[in-house]
Amino acid sequence: MSRLNDTNIEVLRFLLIGIPGLEKSHIWVSIPFSTVYLLSLLGNFTVLFFIKTEPNLHEPMYYFLLMLSISDVGLSLSSLPTTLGLFLFGINEICAAACFAQEFFIHLFTVTEASVLSVMAFDRYMAIHNPLRYSTILTTSRVIKTGVLLTSKNIILILPLPFLLQWLTYCHQNLLSHSYCLHQDVMKLACSDNRVNVVYGLCAALSTILDSLFITFSYIMILKMVLGIATPREQLKALNTCISHICAVLLFCVPMLSAAMLHLFARDLSPMIHILMADVFLLVLPLINPIVHCVKTHQI
């Protein structure tokens, strides 16, 4: 199916571009992609297995890590079918309904990742601020309720996105910029008014921005408390409990902010750079997170 130029024909399927210029080498591109998917799923399922089976890991800190691994698994599985289908088997078409469903899950697990990281920042703040009451404040039941609340909030927030895309009319172009569907990528192909999609998409992005601001504020408070500790050794010990979370936050925020900045201020750059930045966010983040937490978490 080629790009549609007849504006009287409504698009029912979209084309996935993969990596432009490397169409003839997609089978070779599939090797690193498949390896990253395999390792990220293996790493996160390993974390989930040990947290589930080891009684000494049944603590709030590890429950939050479990939520993060679930988000990483969901992020990997959301993009895996179309990415490997394109690179391995040359399947570059996706029907509109499947595309809208995929973008829902990708954006859902992205905002969930941000929410979990923000709660983990609060967890680290409480562990340093009031270690004696930490276990009584962050009980297992409260952690579970927090997880349910965050999941419900994020589903309600992201659920309108596929329906907003479905209400648009696509009648001129059907070529997407990636090997998977993203809301902003699909809506720009519409030939009908998409202002509602733009505004609501910005509102959904605002949730992630607020989570990032909350993380920043939490670490300002943590740093203030650490600087008030008497000895440098105790200061280093307190900061050491935050290292893995700081790495996870940087792995999440840096690629996402870089991709956003490139999209806003460097649109003339090669499409390859934009595509690679998006792939780094969706592929590398779920791969590195379990490595960082396993290295820094001696119990795991």
Side-chain angles (χ1 to χ4, degrees):
M1 179 178 177
S2 60
R3 180 180 297 191
L4 300 180
N5 294 317
D6 187 348
T7 56
N8 295 319
I9 300 177
E10 184 176 356
V11 171
L12 299 177
R13 289 180 176 272
F14 296 101
L15 291 180
L16 302 166
I17 194 172
I19 299 180
L22 297 178
E23 290 82 1
K24 295 181 179 180
S25 304
H26 275 176
I27 188 65
W28 299 107
V29 174
S30 69
I31 296 175
F33 273 77
S34 301
T35 303
V36 170
Y37 276 122
L38 178 62
L39 292 177
S40 62
L41 291 173
L42 179 62
N44 283 291
F45 277 122
T46 300
V47 172
L48 293 174
F49 173 77
F50 280 113
I51 294 177
K52 180 71 168 63
T53 57
E54 291 294 330
N56 62 329
L57 298 181
H58 294 176
E59 299 177 7
M61 171 184 173
Y62 302 109
Y63 287 135
F64 290 131
L65 181 54
L66 181 143
M67 295 178 197
L68 191 65
S69 290
I70 291 174
S71 298
D72 285 336
V73 169
L75 203 55
S76 293
L77 292 178
S78 297
S79 61
L80 184 150
T82 54
T83 300
L84 294 190
L86 174 63
F87 293 139
L88 273 176
F89 307 108
I91 303 173
N92 65 341
E93 290 189 8
I94 182 172
C95 69
C99 184
F100 301 156
Q102 184 181 52
E103 68 86 23
F104 165 76
F105 285 109
I106 288 177
H107 290 292
L108 172 63
F109 288 113
T110 299
V111 297
T112 300
E113 186 107 8
S115 298
V116 173
L117 288 173
S118 67
V119 175
M120 291 177 75
F122 177 74
D123 170 76
R124 293 299 84 207
Y125 170 78
M126 291 304 303
I128 297 174
H129 174 66
N130 205 336
L132 297 179
R133 294 189 57 205
Y134 171 76
S135 59
T136 59
I137 295 174
L138 286 174
T139 61
T140 299
S141 62
R142 286 177 179 170
V143 171
I144 294 174
K145 290 177 182 177
T146 300
V148 172
L149 183 63
L150 289 177
T151 302
S152 302
K153 183 266 292 184
N154 291 328
I155 290 175
I156 293 172
L157 177 67
I158 301 300
L159 188 59
L161 290 180
F163 293 102
L164 290 174
L165 290 177
Q166 190 173 9
W167 290 336
L168 296 175
T169 302
Y170 307 90
C171 52
H172 182 60
Q173 299 183 80
N174 68 336
L175 185 62
L176 297 173
S177 303
H178 302 280
S179 56
Y180 43 79
C181 296
L182 296 175
H183 181 262
Q184 61 271 25
D185 198 21
V186 176
M187 72 176 183
K188 70 182 182 182
L189 300 180
C191 55
S192 57
D193 188 1
N194 65 359
R195 283 178 293 182
V196 174
N197 294 71
V198 173
V199 173
Y200 193 83
L202 291 174
C203 292
L206 181 62
S207 172
T208 302
I209 295 172
L210 291 175
D211 286 328
S212 301
L213 291 176
F214 181 80
I215 293 170
T216 303
F217 176 75
S218 297
Y219 271 100
I220 291 173
M221 298 301 295
I222 288 173
L223 185 60
K224 183 179 178 180
M225 286 187 297
V226 169
L227 292 176
I229 297 176
T231 65
R233 184 176 180 179
E234 291 177 341
Q235 290 177 345
L236 185 61
K237 183 179 179 181
L239 284 175
N240 192 50
T241 64
C242 303
I243 293 298
S244 59
H245 181 256
I246 292 173
C247 292
V249 170
L250 292 176
L251 286 168
F252 178 84
C253 291
V254 172
M256 182 180 67
L257 291 176
S258 300
M261 293 299 102
L262 288 176
H263 179 73
L264 291 175
F265 304 112
R267 296 186 180 184
D268 295 333
L269 285 176
S270 169
M272 175 76 76
I273 296 177
H274 294 277
I275 291 170
L276 289 178
M277 287 301 301
D279 287 339
V280 165
F281 178 75
L282 282 183
L283 296 176
V284 177
L285 177 67
L287 171 66
I288 302 298
N289 268 343
I291 297 175
V292 169
H293 284 95
C294 287
V295 168
K296 291 299 298 178
T297 307
H298 299 298
Q299 290 88 334
I300 297 180

